[in-house]
């Protein structure tokens, strides 16, 4: 059996699964860290994995508690590369400091300190977020008319958090700061690249029904397609699922300098999704499957991710392609 050379955490997430697919396509031998054995069955049942038939090039290891001391020690043994995606989403709770912020920080620093024990590791890629480098007040509605990049740094919002999104932003700001502090303090034998995606839109192969397709960030686009109306502007900035997954894998290449941050985000207007579904799916609109009569105002935020496109030699797909990807899957599963 070939020894895995890449560990992926969070492989059952929206981005993580697609990163897994892209890694296998690129020829990596992957060890996927999962929370339970049942998650392996979900992954192996997907059409993409079946088509790739990875055999011994895909293995799994159960890491039930990613916050435990040394949680990833065993999972990291003998690997050369790491993609760390596992991190809490912006879900409401009674104590968002403990359910969102601290797990994001501890999960990130935990895997980095485990990696210090593994001399074979050369490169770690971490999924951060565009919200880690954007001013909170700008994201919440105050346009600043500035061009933002991944080089920006922000003070972390402090609790108590009035909304899960604010806690999520805090988690990403603090996890990024903890990563940079780790590098300064420990001077690791490996280097780290951070990926900063916007809202990720794209067909979710792990979804088994139409409701599953529109969960998470896909729902931000599908809301107005399905008739939801909001008077609260939402910040712009999306990325196609396939593009952000590709960036993760390309950032592993040791020919690409380490210690960098890469944005994965393209400007969008949320209500343009209504135009796209009427263009590409007129019968579904006519039948009422896609009401296409919602409203989501856009708060324009200018984010320059051209460095990523230039470094890796491809252009990000636009919001139209993102919309079509999700709506096609939604209609197929809706029946």
């Amino acid at each position: 059996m070939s020894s895995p050379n890449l560990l992926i955490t969070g492989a059952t997430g929206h981005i993580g699964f697609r990163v897994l697919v892209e890694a296998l396509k690129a020829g990596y031998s992957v060890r996927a860290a999962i929370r339970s054995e049942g998650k392996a069955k979900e992954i192996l049942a997907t059409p993409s994995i079946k088509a790739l038939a990875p055999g011994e090039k895909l293995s799994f290891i159960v890491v039930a508690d990613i916050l435990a001391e040394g949680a990833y020690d065993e999972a990291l043994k003998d690997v050369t590369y790491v993609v760390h995606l596992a991190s809490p989403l912006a879900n409401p709770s009674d104590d968002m400091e403990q359910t969102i912020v601290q797990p994001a920080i501890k999960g990130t620093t935990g895997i980095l300190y485990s990696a210090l024990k593994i001399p074979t590791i050369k490169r770690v890629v971490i999924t951060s977020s565009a919200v880690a480098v954007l001013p909170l007040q700008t994201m919440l509605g105050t346009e600043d008319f500035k061009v933002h990049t991944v080089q920006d740094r922000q003070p972390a919002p402090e609790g108590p958090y009035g909304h899960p999104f604010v806690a999520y932003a805090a988690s990403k700001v603090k996890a990024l700061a903890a990563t940079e502090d780790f590098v300064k303090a420990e001077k690791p034998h490996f280097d780290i690249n951070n990926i900063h995606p916007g809202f990720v839109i794209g067909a979710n192969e792990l979804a088994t029904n139409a409701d599953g397709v529109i969960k998470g960030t896909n729902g931000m686009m599908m809301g107005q397609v399905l008739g939801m109306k909001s008077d609260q502007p939402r910040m712009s900035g999306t990325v196609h699922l396939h593009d952000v997954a590709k960036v993760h894998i390309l950032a592993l290449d040791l020919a690409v300098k380490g210690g960098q941050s890469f944005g994965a985000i393209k400007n969008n207007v949320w209500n343009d999704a209504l135009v796209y579904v009427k263009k590409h799916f007129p019968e579904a609109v006519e039948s009422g499957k896609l009401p296409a009569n919602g409203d989501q105002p856009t708060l324009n935020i200018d984010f320059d991710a051209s460095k990523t496109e230039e470094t890796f030699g491809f252009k990000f797909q636009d919001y139209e392609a993102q919309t079509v990807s999700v709506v096609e899957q939604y209609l197929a599963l809706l029946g």
Side-chain angles (χ1 to χ4, degrees), residues 191-251:
D191 53 32
I192 301 170
N193 283 333
N194 285 284
I195 313 301
H196 299 267
F199 298 116
V200 179
I201 309 292
N204 181 359
E205 200 172 330
L206 292 172
T208 57
N209 54 49
D211 286 343
V213 175
I214 60 176
K215 287 183 177 179
T217 48
N218 281 344
M220 294 180 172
M221 177 275 294
M222 286 295 293
Q224 56 268 28
V225 171
L226 296 177
M228 294 179 62
K229 293 180 169 65
S230 173
D231 57 7
Q232 179 66 43
R234 176 185 294 140
M235 61 178 276
S236 63
T238 60
V239 63
H240 196 296
L241 172 65
H242 289 204
D243 289 345
V244 70
K246 185 186 299 185
V247 170
H248 279 78
I249 299 307
L250 293 174

Side-chain angles (χ1 to χ4, degrees), residues 31-184:
R31 179 185 294 150
I34 53 177
R35 296 291 185 93
S36 65
E37 292 288 354
K39 297 296 184 181
K41 294 178 181 178
E42 291 179 25
I43 290 172
L44 293 171
T46 58
S48 287
I49 299 300
K50 286 182 176 180
L52 288 168
E56 65 180 20
K57 297 200 78 172
L58 174 60
S59 60
F60 299 92
I61 185 168
V62 174
V63 181
D65 181 4
I66 67 172
L67 303 183
E69 187 76 24
Y72 288 108
D73 286 2
E74 187 66 26
L76 287 167
K77 281 186 176 178
D78 300 321
V79 303
T80 308
Y81 308 97
V82 181
V83 178
H84 177 56
L85 297 113
S87 191
L89 301 176
N91 294 321
S93 76
D94 292 333
D95 189 349
M96 290 183 280
E97 180 71 30
Q98 295 304 314
T99 60
I100 299 176
V101 179
Q102 289 305 314
I105 300 168
K106 292 176 181 177
T108 299
T109 56
I111 199 167
L112 292 176
Y113 276 101
S114 286
L116 276 181
K117 307 170 190 175
I118 312 297
T120 55
I121 294 176
K122 296 180 179 179
R123 170 70 52 84
V124 177
V125 170
I126 298 175
T127 310
S128 182
S129 172
V131 306
V133 295
L134 287 169
L136 180 63
Q137 291 308 311
T138 299
M139 293 187 286
L140 295 180
T142 305
E143 289 195 67
D144 58 12
F145 304 103
K146 294 180 180 178
V147 177
H148 299 278
T149 76
V150 291
Q151 303 309 316
D152 299 343
R153 292 295 180 268
Q154 307 298 334
E158 296 295 340
Y161 308 102
H163 190 279
F165 179 77
V166 178
Y168 178 77
S171 78
K172 291 302 185 181
V173 172
K174 292 183 177 183
L176 178 61
T179 298
E180 293 176 338
D181 289 345
F182 167 86
V183 172
K184 291 176 185 176

Side-chain angles (χ1 to χ4, degrees), residues 17-30:
F17 175 76
R18 191 66 210 178
V19 170
L20 170 62
V21 172
E22 294 293 332
L24 292 170
K25 285 183 175 180
Y28 289 94
S29 294
V30 179

